[in-house]
């Protein structure tokens, strides 16, 4: 599935300094909830927290892939945040995170969920792509780069 079908321009943003892991997850949930009016940001946040309790979604090299499953959605929803300052995220390499690709999927879309996460992880493992994302100075530039 093309990332541009999952990620709307409003859900790709550069976050101001001073975020914590909790605040980043709240921001992700609020962005997704605001764009999809039928979704409760608190429910979205709780789905991300439930997954984080199983183990950090920080995959290393400054990247995190927080994700959650929801019963009340019929298609995947993505949010991409670039943090101005890296935040502690309990990543597997112990390094702070500044690129967060979040995904919410229907409860029964297990294969699609895994395939999308794997594709995004592969994209974000490219050093040049990450370098370019980290240089983005506005939301439009960030969206254009992450969806190409």
């Amino acid at each position: 599935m093309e990332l541009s079908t999952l990620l709307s321009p409003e859900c790709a943003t550069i976050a101001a300094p001073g975020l914590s892991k909790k605040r980043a997850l709240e921001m992700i949930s609020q962005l997704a909830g605001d764009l999809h009016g039928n979704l409760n940001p608190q429910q979205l946040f709780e789905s991300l927290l439930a997954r984080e309790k199983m183990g950090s979604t920080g995959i290393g090299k400054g990247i995190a892939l927080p994700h959650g499953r929801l019963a009340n959605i019929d298609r995947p929803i993505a949010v991409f945040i670039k943090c101005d300052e890296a935040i502690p995220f309990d990543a597997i390499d112990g390094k702070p995170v500044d690129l967060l690709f979040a995904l919410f999927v229907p409860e029964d879309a297990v294969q699609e969920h895994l395939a999308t996460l794997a594709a995004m992880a592969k994209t974000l493992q490219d050093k040049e792509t990450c370098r370019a994302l980290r240089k983005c100075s506005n939301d439009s530039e960030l969206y254009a780069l992450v969806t190409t």
Side-chain angles (χ1 to χ4, degrees):
M1 178 176 283
E2 289 291 319
L3 188 53
S4 60
T5 64
L6 301 176
L7 182 67
S8 70
E10 299 85 3
C11 285
T13 192
I14 297 173
L19 282 183
S20 63
K21 179 178 181 176
K22 179 183 178 203
R23 183 64 193 116
L25 297 177
E26 287 172 339
M27 184 179 182
I28 288 165
S29 301
Q30 192 65 54
L31 283 169
D34 287 349
L35 188 64
H36 304 278
N38 62 328
L39 298 178
N40 179 325
Q42 184 61 35
Q43 183 184 19
L44 295 168
F45 177 66
E46 289 170 6
S47 74
L48 295 177
L49 279 182
R51 174 55 188 86
E52 289 299 318
K53 286 180 182 175
M54 294 171 29
S56 178
T57 57
I59 63 170
K61 299 181 183 175
I63 301 164
L65 301 173
H67 52 280
R69 293 188 182 159
L70 300 166
N72 61 336
I73 62 174
D74 58 2
R75 66 177 184 82
I77 298 166
V79 175
F80 186 79
I81 294 178
K82 178 189 92 94
C83 299
D84 272 347
E85 292 178 359
I87 56 175
F89 210 86
D90 303 318
I92 58 171
D93 63 358
K95 294 183 180 176
V97 165
D98 64 345
L99 299 175
L100 295 95
F101 174 77
L103 186 64
F104 298 99
V105 296
E107 277 184 336
D108 58 350
V110 177
Q111 289 302 86
E112 184 178 22
H113 180 182
L114 295 175
T116 303
L117 285 174
M120 195 60 202
K122 183 177 179 182
T123 297
L124 292 174
Q125 290 300 319
D126 181 77
K127 290 178 184 178
E128 292 303 316
T129 299
C130 287
R131 191 172 295 129
L133 287 167
R134 289 180 170 115
K135 288 181 181 179
C136 289
S137 59
N138 62 60
D139 295 351
S140 298
E141 184 182 3
L142 185 70
Y143 177 78
L145 185 58
V146 80
T147 56
T148 56

